């Protein structure tokens, strides 16, 4: 039986390029993890549903981008691919991007339903970290 770790690292990237990718990936992971923790600290302690939020978050990273938590995970996924220095890792990352887009579409629909016009105005002044999918959610 072929070990799973062999399958996920074949074909591997080696040499100086692999070393640069590995350390760059580690830096990206540390930065995006810190960013995700900061964004999460802005949420109420209990935030299982939209009703747990007293107001629409517009400060912190939300001043610049809608869904900053997704942004951190998208960049984090790229960092993991770099850190692992494997071609299958980059392929897996590429396959995950459409799923992040779909998830962002679903969340935007829910936010519009819950916050209404306030979120619609918010959308006009902040960029989304991913393009909108063409399919209806």
């Amino acid at each position: 039986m072929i070990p799973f770790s062999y399958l996920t690292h074949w074909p591997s990237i080696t040499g100086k390029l692999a070393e640069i990718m590995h350390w760059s990936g580690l830096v990206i992971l540390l930065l995006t993890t810190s960013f995700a923790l900061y964004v999460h600290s802005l949420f109420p302690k209990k935030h299982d549903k939209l009703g747990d939020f007293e107001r629409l978050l517009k400060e912190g990273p939300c001043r610049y981008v809608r869904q900053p938590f997704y942004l951190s995970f998208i960049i984090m996924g790229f960092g993991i691919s770099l850190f692992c220095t494997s071609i299958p890792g980059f392929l897996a990352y590429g396959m995950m991007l459409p799923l992040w887009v779909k998830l962002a579409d679903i969340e935007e629909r829910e936010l519009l339903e819950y916050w209404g016009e306030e979120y619609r105005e918010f959308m006009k002044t902040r960029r989304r970290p991913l393009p909108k999918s063409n399919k209806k959610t």
Side-chain angles (χ1 to χ4, degrees), residues 23-35:
W23 288 107
S24 299
L26 181 62
V27 169
I28 290 170
L29 280 170
L30 293 173
L31 291 174
T32 54
T33 300
S34 299
F35 182 71

Side-chain angles (χ1 to χ4, degrees), residues 43-61:
F43 296 173
K45 278 193 178 192
K46 182 181 180 295
H47 55 273
D48 299 333
K49 56 188 183 303
L50 287 172
D52 295 333
F53 288 80
E54 294 179 6
R55 60 185 170 66
L56 179 62
L57 293 178
K58 297 178 183 177
E59 63 278 342

Side-chain angles (χ1 to χ4, degrees), residues 2-51:
I2 300 172
F4 181 74
S5 63
Y6 179 77
L7 292 175
T8 59
H9 286 89
W10 184 88
S12 63
I13 300 167
T14 58
K16 190 69 174 170
L17 176 61
E19 188 177 329
I20 291 168
M21 289 171 64
H22 182 75
W23 288 107
S24 299
L26 181 62
V27 169
I28 290 170
L29 280 170
L30 293 173
L31 291 174
T32 54
T33 300
S34 299
F35 182 71
L37 290 171
Y38 169 66
V39 172
H40 193 264
S41 74
L42 300 173
F43 296 173
K45 278 193 178 192
K46 182 181 180 295
H47 55 273
D48 299 333
K49 56 188 183 303
L50 287 172

Side-chain angles (χ1 to χ4, degrees), residues 69-97:
F69 211 51
Y70 288 126
L71 178 63
S72 66
F73 283 114
I74 291 161
I75 298 171
M76 190 183 298
F78 182 70
I80 290 169
S81 299
L82 282 174
F83 182 75
C84 293
T85 64
S86 74
I87 293 169
F90 285 104
L91 293 174
Y93 174 71
M95 291 187 310
M96 290 297 297
L97 285 176

